[in-house]
Amino acid sequence: QLQAVESGGGLVQAGGSLRLSCTISPFAFADYAMGWFRQAPGKEREGVATISWRGDSAIYADSVKGRFTISRDNAKNTLYLQMNSLKPDDTAMYYCAADVSGGGYYTRSARDFAYWGQGTQVTVSS
């Protein structure tokens, strides 16, 4: 069964940076828009950012605009999330997934995505 593998999380002080990575293999990675999501305890899974299959456009949640950058390397089947100016509110488990509906790039709804991994924990201390 296909499943994403996320990495790069950790503990960082407020104002710091982290870079998350995600791979799904074997998978037609370049054919799908991809997304990063996060889920804090007791909260719903939130779509943080999505990126087109070519990597030439992206959509961000208002809460991360100007601080996070999503990117991809289709040759390496790898998705990235560069997170700068981190805040304690960014603390969550972070997941990546593939847009299997064709509309998830716009909706950023978890229902439109599949191949979820175990996630990588990001903790931001104040």
Side-chain angles (χ1 to χ4, degrees):
Q1 184 176 354
L2 286 176
Q3 189 176 41
V5 178
E6 300 94 344
S7 62
L11 173 63
V12 64
Q13 288 188 331
S17 298
L18 285 173
R19 189 193 196 201
L20 307 184
S21 299
C22 163
T23 61
I24 307 178
S25 182
F27 177 64
F29 181 84
D31 291 345
Y32 292 83
M34 297 290 296
W36 281 103
F37 294 78
R38 66 186 181 186
Q39 189 167 19
K43 294 188 177 181
E44 290 188 358
R45 192 164 294 191
E46 172 192 20
V48 173
T50 55
I51 187 167
S52 64
W53 63 273
R54 285 194 296 191
D56 57 354
S57 61
I59 300 176
Y60 296 90
D62 287 344
S63 57
V64 306
K65 277 181 184 176
R67 300 188 298 122
F68 290 11
T69 302
I70 187 172
S71 62
R72 65 191 299 163
D73 184 337
N74 287 344
K76 296 181 178 179
N77 272 27
T78 303
L79 180 72
Y80 302 100
L81 186 67
Q82 178 67 44
M83 305 186 296
N84 299 328
S85 302
L86 282 161
K87 305 175 182 179
D89 283 349
D90 295 319
T91 295
M93 188 71 79
Y94 282 71
Y95 304 88
C96 77
D99 172 13
V100 295
S101 77
Y105 170 77
Y106 296 101
T107 67
R108 286 187 287 111
S109 170
R111 293 190 300 266
D112 292 320
F113 287 78
Y115 310 133
W116 299 94
Q118 298 299 311
T120 185
Q121 178 68 39
V122 172
T123 303
V124 184
S125 63
S126 57

